[in-house]
Amino acid sequence: MLKNVLLIFIFLIISSCSSYNSIDSFYNTHKNDNHVTAVRVPHFMLSLLSNISPEMQSLIGNTRDLRYMQFPSETSEKTNLLNTQMNGITGNSFIEVYRKNDNLKRNVVSIREKKNSVKEILIYNNNNQTGSFLYFNGNFDPVKVREMAKNNQFENIGSNLINQLNYSSSSKNGTTIEN
């Protein structure tokens, strides 16, 4: 009886720790931080965003969840914390297809595969002043994703996403999204 209770307790502790290391928890933890831009794109806007570029069209067409977050990372301590949190998210469940480290600066593209399809793409950048992540959930061609990572095509997608959202918002109602 005591062994069963102990096993259940250990399982609960491990489960609660692993839930912290997810995009949802990172997004929810930091979306209300000062000077943060957080975007979670609703389904109806995904078609508008597919017009950014041919690369975005190939990604957006199969996307179920798209998020972008940009956050300040002005101190070594904050940068270290964010890098550690992102490493915890990708951990063992993602495959790193690209990484560039320069001291605390990071540029990482990680994917999660299932059979012959990429299910999640996480792009994390931190230049020691500003950090960002771009997250896609859907069904993606692994060859195309690796090609885009190899050719650094993911680097500007975040800023293009914000620009497109601002444009879409202003063209629909005459206003722009404030960060």
Side-chain angles (χ1 to χ4, degrees):
M1 177 71 177
L2 185 60
K3 275 186 172 181
N4 290 341
V5 171
L6 185 60
L7 285 175
I8 291 172
F9 181 70
I10 290 172
F11 176 74
L12 290 174
I13 289 174
I14 291 171
S15 296
S16 66
C17 291
S18 65
S19 66
Y20 178 75
N21 291 329
S22 72
I23 284 296
D24 283 334
S25 63
F26 185 89
Y27 187 88
N28 289 330
T29 298
H30 294 289
K31 71 182 179 184
N32 292 316
D33 291 355
N34 198 24
H35 302 291
V36 166
T37 300
V39 178
R40 187 164 188 185
V41 180
H43 284 282
F44 74 90
M45 288 191 72
L46 290 173
S47 62
L48 296 172
L49 295 174
S50 65
N51 296 326
I52 292 174
S53 69
E55 293 80 18
M56 282 297 282
Q57 171 60 45
S58 66
L59 284 174
I60 295 293
N62 300 310
T63 301
R64 289 187 301 273
D65 187 10
L66 176 58
R67 301 181 205 193
Y68 174 77
M69 183 177 278
Q70 185 176 16
F71 34 82
S73 183
E74 297 167 341
T75 66
S76 295
E77 294 79 19
K78 181 72 171 186
T79 301
N80 220 359
L81 172 71
L82 294 167
N83 289 346
T84 301
Q85 288 177 338
M86 275 296 155
N87 285 338
I89 291 170
T90 56
N92 295 327
S93 62
F94 279 78
I95 299 168
E96 229 173 67
V97 294
Y98 178 81
R99 174 181 280 271
K100 182 178 179 184
N101 295 340
D102 183 9
N103 293 317
L104 288 178
K105 296 177 183 177
R106 298 286 184 272
N107 185 345
V108 181
V109 178
S110 299
I111 62 171
R112 186 177 289 169
E113 295 179 310
K114 186 174 182 183
K115 296 186 181 182
N116 294 331
S117 179
V118 173
K119 296 296 184 181
E120 295 175 79
I121 304 168
L122 178 61
I123 300 104
Y124 172 66
N125 292 296
N126 196 321
N127 65 12
N128 226 10
Q129 294 295 312
T130 304
S132 68
F133 80 80
L134 181 62
Y135 172 78
F136 294 90
N137 183 315
N139 271 324
F140 311 104
D141 177 9
V143 174
K144 182 69 174 168
V145 171
R146 289 179 199 269
E147 178 183 307
M148 289 177 73
K150 179 181 165 192
N151 296 329
N152 296 326
Q153 291 174 311
F154 285 115
E155 285 186 25
N156 296 321
I157 289 178
S159 58
N160 288 340
L161 174 66
I162 294 296
N163 290 338
Q164 185 67 24
L165 284 170
N166 282 333
Y167 174 76
S168 297
S169 175
S170 65
S171 65
K172 284 191 180 271
N173 61 16
T175 61
T176 58
I177 296 172
E178 294 297 321
N179 297 331

